[in-house]
Amino acid sequence: MMDAGVTKFFRTGRGGWLGTALLVFLLAVLAHVGTLSGEFVLDDRPFLIDNPKMADVARPPNFFSGGLWTFSNIPVGDDAIYRPFFVATLWLNNQLWRGWPAGFHLYSLLLHGATTLLLLMWLRRLLPGIDVRAAGLAAALFAVHPVHAEAVGWILATMHLQATLLILATCLVHDRYLRTGQPAFLLVAAMLFGGAIFTAETGVVFPFFVLMQDRLRLGRWRFMAFSAYGAVLVVYLVARKILLGVSLPLTWDLATAGARLPGFLVEYLRHLLLPWPQPLYLAMPDTGFFHLQSLPVAMFLVAAWAIPLVRMRPVPVVPLLALVWLGVFLAPPLAAVFNPSPLLAMRYVYLPSVGLSILLAWWLDRLPGKGWPHLILPLLLFLPVTFMAHGHWQNDGEVYARIVQWNPNHHAGYLGMARYAERSGNPERASHLYRQALTRATGKARLTVLEPLALLLGQTGDHAASLALFRELTTLAPERSSAWVGVGNNLWFMKQPEQAAAAYAEAVRMDPRNREACHNLRMALTATGRLRDVPRVCFSGP
């Protein structure tokens, strides 16, 4: 038997819900259909191209056994990102699509459409008796919002869609638990929440949202549900600690976090309210705050919503809940300010933006009927903006050009453009971009630029320039066997077999299992008549 405090929150809305659901799903697909022509970009390649760990059907990896980058073809020393359900989804998609990017993008597109449908259902539960037009327009805003272009358009960002879908499913099942009081629904909701946080760590704050939601909606604290979700959270944190050695992927840098936090908060709010132009960073610019000129606009827009709300007596529950959602789920991306190298990323706004839709649905439901037709215009304006945003996610050339646009003094954007130009068969442009990257790279970052540039120059016949770069590389990283092979290869083509043999020998000494170095050393020693030295210098194991 439900008590009165619960019952009033479970009346259904009025209107044509089935038709509205179909319309918002189609809008979600239409707004982001441009993703289907996109290629693999950024980190998609290390996970989904030439990666045996993701290609083996007979022996799938143990997704719970390590961090995210463990399952890529790029080794990292400190992998503190734990997303086993997401990695399992990547593996399954890879078995289905086998290197066909459109298949992965189709999955993302359908996932976004399904998330939009769950949001519509959640609005229907959250706002008793809401007009179907209000809920439909609020869900449509979520469906076509340009700020979601990064999350929907980048395959490796699909985790945000998947986590948001599971969080909204948890909310709906949690409502069912409140309505019936049956523990089985709480168990299912806790399992869905587990799926969300094992997909992306952005969901870790959900138990605190549920605690506040139940207090605001029902007028009292309900610690049983909070305890169930909290227990799942503890399991997740303990698993991370055991497997990765750290509970949360944060490195605390308190000295500068306070100065960064206002800038990050303003930028995230600005892009929720004014979603163009959209930034894309691999590293934040060195110059303090960014887009500070948008601060007055962002403050005005926030005040336009918040001040009338605060002046209402009593303060309405649902808009307060929307602000709680926005604040709670913005906390994980804002926690990046505590890292020594923080990053502002639009994909992290996907889950918090649900709060904006809740707020909009409440406001629209209070609007007089004659005001409804004018609300179609913002949606129609958002559609072309979203189309343009997806045009920037078509290939690595477009993506890295945007990275250079937003941080022109960092080497990574030029390096990515150079690699794309090289893959596209344009060595002249690739060489120019590698040099652009080299002039901006410092410290160990130079190593990531020197080797591909030296290789390219050697492949195009400029052996003197290639040799000079490989020699610099052996000075910066003398333990790098591949750099010594590069030195030897250029000396060989410059008709200096004795010196080439010495470089190959150094490569073998640094890594006896480097088969290219061993093969080339045999070749050089044979050419110089030192056949008796061959068996003693090459590793002959498996």
Side-chain angles (χ1 to χ4, degrees), residues 147 258-277 279 281 284 289-302 326 330 333-334 337 344 346 349:
V147 82
R260 295 168 179 158
L261 185 60
F264 272 63
L265 178 60
V266 165
E267 283 297 284
Y268 277 130
L269 291 175
R270 179 176 82 88
H271 287 288
L272 279 173
L273 300 169
L274 297 171
W276 190 263
Y281 301 104
M284 298 306 302
F289 284 173
F290 29 93
H291 287 283
L292 195 59
Q293 68 272 17
S294 67
L295 179 59
V297 178
M299 291 179 63
F300 170 78
L301 291 172
V302 171
L326 189 61
L330 269 179
L334 285 174
V337 301
L344 186 91
M346 290 300 101
V349 184

Side-chain angles (χ1 to χ4, degrees), residues 70-98:
T70 304
F71 304 99
S72 75
N73 65 2
I74 295 181
V76 293
D78 184 18
D79 187 0
I81 303 176
Y82 191 55
R83 299 166 183 167
F85 278 11
F86 172 62
V87 177
T89 302
L90 283 180
W91 181 83
L92 287 170
N93 269 297
N94 210 34
Q95 306 315 308
L96 283 173
W97 311 117
R98 291 294 182 181

Side-chain angles (χ1 to χ4, degrees), residues 1 18 44 56 64 97 128 135 197 253 259 285 300 333-334 346 372 390 397 402 413 418 425 451 459 492 519:
M1 189 77 181
L18 183 59
D44 292 345
D56 195 342
F64 285 87
W97 311 117
I197 59 175
D253 180 16
F300 170 78
L334 285 174
M346 290 300 101
W372 289 90
H390 281 303
R402 285 183 61 221
E451 188 155 12
Q459 290 166 359
W492 174 264
H519 174 271

Side-chain angles (χ1 to χ4, degrees), residues 518-534:
C518 186
H519 174 271
N520 290 359
L521 178 55
R522 284 194 183 101
M523 176 183 65
L525 291 174
T526 301
T528 56
R530 294 161 54 190
L531 295 178
R532 67 178 63 188
D533 293 336
V534 173

